[in-house]
């Protein structure tokens, strides 16, 4: 959970949070920010977190992906100088940790892949350009070989093969422009029949 230039860590006290289970008191960690707040955060396999500070609706020209460890504190930047994003709303937004220690990052109208050393090694761009102006959230499928990315402007989902970079699918959710900025992949028993399902949910900003 995020709060301006701080990261809150919650521990669930019950396995089924959907049943109204309580959450334990949060630990609050102050983190360094480039511009804006610590808006997008993911946990890496080594236990540290990576995060970006960029606006969802107004570009803040953030230039870094930063890193923090709950024990040792602020770490060296994961990416000290981000490549310039493309499209009308550039800047780092949603990101996803990869099993090899790298990340996927939404930056404008493309998704950028960085290795564990923070080096850009691959870029993914949807083929339907007009429906990919503000890529906002990204997540891996269960087998780790593909990922889905959501455009918050058109609320369209795109699926890519990580290794080849090929676009495998495009799904128009018809939720309406600007109604979604994140999504969840439900990994259920159905995946053995039809594959991982990507489900977009509406989000609302809370002042």
């Amino acid at each position: 959970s995020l709060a301006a230039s701080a990261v809150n860590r919650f521990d669930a006290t019950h396995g089924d949070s959907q049943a109204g289970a309580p959450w334990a008191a949060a630990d609050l960690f102050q983190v360094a920010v480039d511009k804006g707040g610590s808006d997008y955060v993911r946990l890496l396999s080594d236990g540290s977190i990576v995060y970006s500070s960029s606006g969802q609706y107004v570009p803040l020209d953030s230039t870094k992906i930063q890193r923090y460890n709950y024990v040792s504190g602020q770490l060296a930047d994961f990416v000290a100088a981000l490549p310039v994003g493309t499209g009308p709303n550039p800047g780092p937004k949603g990101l996803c940790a990869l099993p090899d220690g790298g990340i996927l990052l939404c930056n404008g109208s493309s998704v950028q892949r960085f290795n564990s050393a923070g080096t850009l090694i691959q870029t993914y761009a949807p083929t339907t350009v007009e429906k990919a102006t503000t890529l906002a959230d990204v997540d891996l499928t269960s087998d780790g070989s593909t990922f889905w990315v959501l455009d918050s402007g058109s609320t369209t989902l795109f699926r890519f093969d990580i290794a080849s970079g090929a676009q495998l699918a495009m799904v128009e959710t018809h939720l309406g422009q600007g109604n979604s900025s994140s999504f969840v992949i439900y990994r259920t028993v159905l995946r053995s029949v039809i594959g991982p399902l990507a489900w977009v949910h509406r989000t609302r900003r809370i002042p």
Side-chain angles (χ1 to χ4, degrees), residues 108 122 133 163-164 172 175 178 184:
Q122 200 164 359
T133 60
S164 70
E172 297 184 71
L175 289 176
V184 174

Side-chain angles (χ1 to χ4, degrees), residues 2 39-42 52-58 65 86 88-96 104-112 124 126 131-139 147-158 160 177-184 200-201 203 205:
L2 303 177
D39 295 330
Y40 305 90
V41 61
R42 285 294 184 271
S52 64
S53 53
S54 181
Q56 172 62 35
Y57 302 104
V58 180
I65 298 298
T86 56
N89 192 5
K93 294 179 178 62
L95 51 84
C96 172
L104 296 172
L105 172 72
C106 297
N107 193 347
S109 57
S110 65
V111 175
Q112 298 168 333
Y124 311 84
K131 294 187 180 297
T133 60
T134 309
L135 299 181
D137 197 17
V138 59
D139 200 7
F147 68 86
W148 288 94
V149 60
L150 169 71
D151 184 83
S152 63
S154 65
T155 63
T156 301
L157 284 161
F158 302 92
F160 285 88
Q177 184 175 2
N179 280 331
S180 295
S181 59
S182 62
F183 69 98
V184 174
V200 180
H201 63 89
T203 59
R205 277 189 171 272

Side-chain angles (χ1 to χ4, degrees), residues 2 17 24-25 48 66 76-77 109 130 143 152 157 161 167 175 184:
L2 303 177
S17 60
S48 62
Q66 294 170 276
D77 294 337
S109 57
E130 67 275 13
D143 64 4
S152 63
L157 284 161
D161 182 275
Q167 181 177 311
L175 289 176
V184 174

Side-chain angles (χ1 to χ4, degrees), residues 10-24:
F10 292 86
D11 292 318
T13 58
H14 189 281
D16 183 10
S17 60
Q18 291 183 348
W23 295 82

Side-chain angles (χ1 to χ4, degrees), residues 26-103:
D27 295 318
L28 183 66
F29 301 90
Q30 296 294 329
V31 297
V33 294
D34 179 23
K35 298 178 182 179
S38 48
D39 295 330
Y40 305 90
V41 61
R42 285 294 184 271
L43 183 68
L44 294 179
S45 57
D46 65 3
S48 62
I49 63 169
V50 287
Y51 61 94
S52 64
S53 53
S54 181
Q56 172 62 35
Y57 302 104
V58 180
L60 298 178
D61 299 321
S62 178
T63 59
K64 300 178 179 180
I65 298 298
Q66 294 170 276
R67 185 166 48 176
Y68 185 90
N69 184 278
Y70 293 123
V71 177
S72 55
Q74 196 72 39
L75 303 175
D77 294 337
F78 189 83
V79 182
L82 282 171
V84 177
T86 56
N89 192 5
K93 294 179 178 62
L95 51 84
C96 172
L98 298 174
D100 62 3
I103 64 168

